Amino acid sequence: MKDRMTPAVRMTGHSQRGQCAKRMSILDAAADVFCRQGFAAASIDEIAAVACVSRQTIYNHYREKETLFVAVVEDVMNRANAMLFSVLSAFPDDADNLEDDLTAFVVRLNKNCICNQDGKFLRKLVQTEGERYPHLFESWRQQGPGKLTTALSALLARLAQKGALVIDDFDVAARQFVALGNADLQMLTLFGGTPTDAELEKAARNAVRTFLRAYGRPAANKSGAQPQLAAVSG
Amino acid sequence: MKDRMTPAVRMTGHSQRGQCAKRMSILDAAADVFCRQGFAAASIDEIAAVACVSRQTIYNHYREKETLFVAVVEDVMNRANAMLFSVLSAFPDDADNLEDDLTAFVVRLNKNCICNQDGKFLRKLVQTEGERYPHLFESWRQQGPGKLTTALSALLARLAQKGALVIDDFDVAARQFVALGNADLQMLTLFGGTPTDAELEKAARNAVRTFLRAYGRPAANKSGAQPQLAAVSG
DNA sequence: GACGTTTTAGACAATGGCGTCTAGTTTTAC
DNA sequence: GTAAAACTAGACGCCATTGTCTAAAACGTC
């Protein structure tokens, strides 16, 4: 009789090395192979080889291929959500140096949430297997980008209340903020490449400049930008 | 032999049309199945069934699965390019009613190039099989979105030269224009759904409003009733 | 109506992956 | 040190799919 419960909590260092490490190794390898090959073309043998693990060990931990796939998606999603929360918690909340602060935020958002391996994996998987696994997609949609735009909407509203921005529709502005942040990187990320730090910086600066030209407080005149009249009658 | 011929296929015309129709039927069916299942999971039998064609006919026209796949991608790409060219040729070139004209353009662009079946197919395929078929992807990149932003950059420059827009970097503005146009639809298209006309209209209007707030001529007051000075060098 | 081309349905071997099983080895727990 | 659990390597059956082949049938042309 296998007693899988024992090691994790009870024992300290050794058990972590044994089983938990195997599990994580399998999850990482599976994420890599699933991302590169897609679900159908990914073979358990290749995952086992990448994980440096016997195939039977995989079947021991995860009953079948689909179980492994679901576990991988949930694992990546948890990491991505934690990272997203962390990045969102550093959103600027005062009007001083708003352009620089927003630029730094966009850099962090793109670098750690959107252009990184997990973001690429989730986007790719959602597009390829989304129709086949609607529940997985729904979870990702609500906890991933859904949370992002919702949270950003509130954060932008906070800045608007302080007078730093003039926004009529916070949800629209949040979506546009994200879209502008990705505008220069979209083709690169679609290709699968990873932007350099310089590219991230430049893309973020372009995005924030345009965003502030559209939504910045009229009085706050930034370098060389033309003053805007932001009054929008219903 | 048994006459289980499908009645629907009978409508096809004469000899040359017979073959050509078969080829197109195969291409359409293959595009459908490849898009839904991905290359690896798509089976020739299913494609044959969808196309109402014998499997041998497929192998007769296209030597093997990969040949068929390449032919499908090229076919869809040709259609998409033609549509993109057509839409781009209707980009507004005068400053009168710029907001409405740009909005209508964004609606057409999204409806006929980005959110339609071909656009969805290409995006999905590039993400899933892009690493496996770099040459296919490169072609799409240069002829698809690459052409879009390049052409848009020139078109925006034309508007700027006429004084309708104030743009410092046309390439950046072009990418941002596309990004803003998709901002409200991105999640929907990622899901695979098709936006309604109302959603398309609203998304385009939000995008153009923000774009013009950022890049519109300062004197030109939008969303008001009165047209401003219309003197522009024709 | 006859002939050549195209299409069709089905059979066929070959391939490869999934999931199971077994026997032998290593690791862990006590 | 010992026993139990986990891991490994490999073989195995099963099933789906690819691509080929063949005889029959449909189609278009003459």
Side-chain angles (χ1 to χ4, degrees):
Chain A
M1 188 62 180
K2 42 187 75 174
D3 185 1
R4 218 177 299 173
M5 295 309 169
T6 28
V9 192
R10 291 292 220 81
M11 272 305 152
T12 50
H14 285 75
S15 52
Q16 234 183 2
R17 221 194 230 152
Q19 290 192 15
C20 203
K22 292 269 184 215
R23 285 183 83 96
M24 288 196 296
S25 171
I26 292 172
L27 284 180
D28 286 345
D32 177 35
V33 176
F34 277 139
C35 186
R36 274 191 291 108
Q37 317 266 13
F39 177 78
S43 86
I44 299 285
D45 284 328
E46 185 176 354
I47 294 172
V50 172
C52 293
V53 151
S54 160
R55 175 173 66 249
Q56 182 59 32
T57 300
I58 295 182
Y59 282 107
N60 192 9
H61 285 283
Y62 309 95
R63 199 163 304 161
E64 54 188 359
K65 194 180 179 182
E66 189 166 327
T67 311
L68 172 62
F69 178 72
V70 172
V72 166
V73 171
E74 287 175 349
D75 178 58
V76 175
M77 244 174 48
N78 286 337
R79 272 211 309 273
N81 277 334
M83 181 57 80
L84 180 62
F85 180 80
S86 162
V87 168
L88 279 172
S89 70
F91 189 84
D93 70 337
D94 58 56
D96 302 338
N97 285 331
L98 190 56
E99 181 166 349
D100 289 340
D101 289 350
L102 281 179
T103 301
F105 172 79
V106 171
V107 168
R108 285 193 302 268
L109 181 68
N110 281 332
K111 185 171 193 170
N112 300 316
C113 300
I114 296 178
C115 297
N116 66 340
Q117 196 65 24
D118 288 347
K120 174 186 168 190
F121 174 85
L122 285 174
R123 240 174 301 123
K124 194 166 174 177
L125 262 296
V126 161
Q127 276 215 344
T128 54
E129 325 288 351
E131 298 183 13
R132 224 165 250 302
Y133 299 86
H135 54 292
L136 281 183
F137 171 77
E138 195 55 33
S139 171
W140 178 79
R141 182 184 182 184
Q142 288 173 0
Q143 299 200 8
K147 253 187 189 162
L148 171 59
T149 53
T150 303
L152 258 185
S153 175
L155 293 168
L156 290 174
R158 198 173 64 183
L159 281 177
Q161 201 174 9
K162 292 193 176 185
L165 298 173
V166 178
I167 297 174
D168 48 341
D169 188 322
F170 299 116
D171 290 337
V172 168
R175 287 194 290 267
Q176 290 177 341
F177 185 82
V178 177
L180 286 173
N182 285 333
D184 289 352
L185 306 174
Q186 211 148 24
M187 196 136 12
L188 190 63
T189 57
L190 196 64
F191 171 83
T194 305
T196 65
D197 283 357
E199 288 169 329
L200 282 167
E201 179 76 20
K202 191 167 184 181
R205 197 153 291 279
N206 287 335
V208 170
R209 262 233 289 263
T210 297
F211 186 81
L212 287 182
R213 269 191 221 142
Y215 290 113
R217 186 180 49 194
N221 195 355
K222 287 149 295 284
S223 59
Q226 62 276 14
Q228 296 295 313
L229 36 107
V232 208
S233 60
Chain B
M1 210 63 176
K2 50 191 75 174
D3 187 1
R4 60 166 299 283
M5 290 289 301
T6 69
V9 171
R10 305 301 302 243
M11 54 147 294
T12 58
H14 294 61
S15 63
Q16 215 168 10
R17 219 151 282 175
Q19 286 192 28
C20 200
K22 291 269 183 214
R23 285 185 81 95
M24 288 197 297
S25 172
I26 292 172
L27 283 179
D28 285 346
D32 177 34
V33 176
F34 278 139
C35 186
R36 274 191 290 107
Q37 317 267 13
F39 177 79
S43 86
I44 300 285
D45 284 328
E46 184 175 355
I47 294 172
V50 172
C52 294
V53 152
S54 160
R55 176 174 64 249
Q56 183 59 32
T57 302
I58 295 182
Y59 283 107
N60 191 10
H61 285 280
Y62 309 94
R63 198 169 308 152
E64 54 188 358
K65 194 180 179 183
E66 188 166 327
T67 311
L68 173 61
F69 178 72
V70 172
V72 167
V73 172
E74 286 174 350
D75 178 59
V76 175
M77 246 174 46
N78 287 337
R79 274 210 310 272
N81 278 333
M83 181 57 80
L84 180 61
F85 180 81
S86 161
V87 167
L88 280 173
S89 69
F91 188 84
D93 70 338
D94 59 55
D96 301 338
N97 286 332
L98 190 55
E99 180 166 349
D100 288 341
D101 290 349
L102 283 178
T103 301
F105 172 79
V106 171
V107 167
R108 286 194 302 269
L109 181 67
N110 281 332
K111 185 171 193 169
N112 300 317
C113 299
I114 295 179
C115 297
N116 67 339
Q117 196 65 23
D118 288 346
K120 174 185 166 188
F121 174 84
L122 285 174
R123 240 174 301 123
K124 195 166 172 178
L125 262 296
V126 161
Q127 276 215 345
T128 54
E129 326 287 350
E131 299 183 14
R132 224 165 248 303
Y133 300 86
H135 54 292
L136 282 181
F137 171 76
E138 195 54 32
S139 171
W140 178 81
R141 183 184 182 184
Q142 286 173 1
Q143 300 199 9
K147 252 185 189 162
L148 172 58
T149 54
T150 302
L152 258 185
S153 176
L155 293 167
L156 290 175
R158 197 173 66 184
L159 281 178
Q161 200 174 11
K162 293 191 176 184
L165 298 174
V166 177
I167 296 175
D168 48 341
D169 187 322
F170 299 116
D171 290 336
V172 169
R175 287 194 290 267
Q176 289 177 342
F177 185 82
V178 177
L180 285 173
N182 285 332
D184 289 353
L185 306 174
Q186 211 149 24
M187 196 135 12
L188 190 62
T189 57
L190 197 63
F191 170 84
T194 306
T196 67
D197 282 357
E199 288 169 330
L200 282 167
E201 179 76 21
K202 191 167 186 183
R205 198 153 291 279
N206 287 335
V208 170
R209 262 234 290 261
T210 297
F211 185 82
L212 288 181
R213 271 193 220 140
Y215 290 112
R217 186 180 51 194
N221 190 356
K222 298 156 289 290
S223 76
Q226 74 283 27
Q228 290 292 82
L229 48 127
V232 274
S233 60

